[in-house]
Amino acid sequence: MNSMPLFEWNKCRHEPLVVAGPCSVESRAQLVEVTGALCALPQVRLIRCGVWKPRSRPGGFEGLGEQALRWMAETKASAADDKRPRYACEVATPEHVEAVLRHGIDAVWIGARTTANPFMVQELAEALRGTGMSVMVKNAPSPDVRLWMGAIERCLKAGLDDVAAVHRGFDLFHNASFRNLPLWEVPIELRRSMPGLPILCDPSHIAGSREPLPSLSQMAMDLGFDGLMVETHPRPDEALTDADQQLTPAQLSGLISGLLLRQTDTEKADQELRLLRLQIDQADQELLRLLAVRLDVVRQIAEVKSQSNWAVFQPKRWEALLSNRLEAARGLGLCDDFVKELFEKIHAESVRVQEAMMEEKKSAGAQ
Ligand code: PEP
Ligand code: MN
């Protein structure tokens, strides 16, 4: 594995930087086994090892702490110079930083829950000042790009110059298919605001399961991410934490070789188009969701109209609505004819739905 500074070094390469390793170090044997397997994969530049685990609720496996750091230091010391593994750990307190420094750990990351707390990030940045450590900053669980940027800025201001961001998805309640929603527009905004900053994607914590990992990783590559952080365990099903999402080293190797990498300058335009189309897709989804919300209100209005014996089509309301929407649309730079036609269609659909409801009520009443 090559020498630091890792993220700077990777910038001039045309391949993703892969950080892989177990969610948690669980035993010396597991650490040695996974290290050996990952050192055999040339794309893996750094082995991630969870040593202090931020569990949402107390009582679960919370990591082996300094014991694991000692095994990591020993594993490094016993390797030949050119095969020496480089390790990264999550740090959440200045004491953790002191411990990783004592044991010669090469890099650290700030976890999602810590990024959410600017006081703690500031303390970590101070503890890391002058150490020359490579630092990865995961996004906070909420989709607030400023909080993420703020944590990165605190590290940069402390003089750390090998810093990368890690996108691990966002913890939202309406989250069905993923453990954490990717909300790609957030790292895209980070890239726009901090263009020189390397961004890695952590598909493992986004997915929460194995199956989506290749497509999430490919998406990250297509969007121009600089690398991946993938949880890897010799026997994922036996893992003490995050068993569902970890890959074996062989599965990781398959994932990496299956990635389609875009390398030429001419494909930059294609990449930009993908970013823009992603934004169009998200805007359209929002449009559809709002249309459904609107129709739901339209149905509630039909109930009120039917109870008070009002006609469905109320010309005065329609005229007022249209002129209000046209004025608002002008303020947004939208063309009158387009907005008029759009609202005529939306209104016609509302009238159709309300009339159908009235008709149904009428025939139910007649029976
Ligand atoms: C982890 O990387 O094991 C971890 C706890 O991740 P996150 O901070 O993204 O939840
Ligand atoms: Mn994990």
Side-chain angles (χ1 to χ4, degrees), residues 357-367:
M357 284 176 69
M358 298 287 201
E359 205 50 50
E360 237 172 66
K361 278 184 188 298
K362 227 195 274 167
S363 49
Q367 275 165 18

Side-chain angles (χ1 to χ4, degrees), residues 185-260:
E185 66 272 27
V186 181
I188 289 169
E189 176 60 21
L190 180 70
R191 163 78 20 113
R192 207 186 56 73
S193 306
M194 303 180 106
L197 178 81
I199 308 183
L200 314 184
C201 178
D202 169 351
S204 309
H205 288 91
I206 294 176
S209 60
R210 285 182 260 285
E211 197 268 327
L213 297 179
S215 63
L216 285 167
S217 304
Q218 185 60 53
M219 183 68 168
M221 294 301 102
D222 292 349
L223 292 175
F225 278 56
D226 304 270
L228 300 169
M229 180 191 267
V230 185
E231 285 192 335
T232 313
H233 189 287
R235 279 164 298 284
D237 291 335
E238 294 170 19
L240 299 181
T241 53
D242 289 350
D244 294 343
Q245 69 197 30
Q246 302 204 59
L247 296 182
T248 62
Q251 287 168 330
L252 172 70
S253 172
L255 182 150
I256 296 170
S257 53
L259 291 173
L260 183 70

Side-chain angles (χ1 to χ4, degrees), residues 14 28 34 62 65 79 87 167 169 176 201 216 298 307 336 339 359:
H14 290 297
R28 187 192 181 116
V34 81
E62 296 194 326
Y87 287 118
H167 167 230
C201 178
L216 285 167
V298 159
Q307 279 157 22
D336 266 20
V339 173
E359 205 50 50

Side-chain angles (χ1 to χ4, degrees), residues 242-291:
D242 289 350
D244 294 343
Q245 69 197 30
Q246 302 204 59
L247 296 182
T248 62
Q251 287 168 330
L252 172 70
S253 172
L255 182 150
I256 296 170
S257 53
L259 291 173
L260 183 70
L261 301 179
R262 301 164 186 283
Q263 301 184 347
T264 64
D265 275 358
T266 49
E267 288 189 89
K268 264 197 167 157
D270 188 33
Q271 190 171 308
E272 250 166 60
L273 268 184
R274 277 168 190 267
L275 295 182
L276 293 169
R277 286 184 175 145
L278 194 68
Q279 291 176 49
I280 291 274
D281 292 349
Q282 273 154 358
D284 285 353
Q285 272 176 24
E286 188 60 6
L287 272 176
L288 289 172
R289 193 185 66 77
L290 288 174
L291 283 172

Side-chain angles (χ1 to χ4, degrees), residues 295 298-299 302-303 305-306 311-313 347-365:
L295 261 188
V298 159
R299 288 192 192 94
E303 295 290 345
K305 282 179 178 166
S306 117
V312 163
F313 194 165
H347 184 252
E349 175 63 1
S350 304
V351 169
R352 187 191 68 74
V353 167
Q354 290 191 344
E355 272 173 351
M357 284 176 69
M358 298 287 201
E359 205 50 50
E360 237 172 66
K361 278 184 188 298
K362 227 195 274 167
S363 49

Side-chain angles (χ1 to χ4, degrees), residues 22-24 48 50 52-54 90 109-114 138-139 168-169 179-180 202 205 229 231 241-242 245:
C23 178
S24 306
R48 56 147 288 150
W52 298 282
K53 299 309 297 177
E90 174 172 352
W109 78 87
I110 299 179
R113 293 156 194 81
T114 309
K138 289 196 169 198
N139 63 266
R168 49 76 82 196
R179 176 175 174 186
N180 292 297
D202 169 351
H205 288 91
M229 180 191 267
E231 285 192 335
T241 53
D242 289 350
Q245 69 197 30

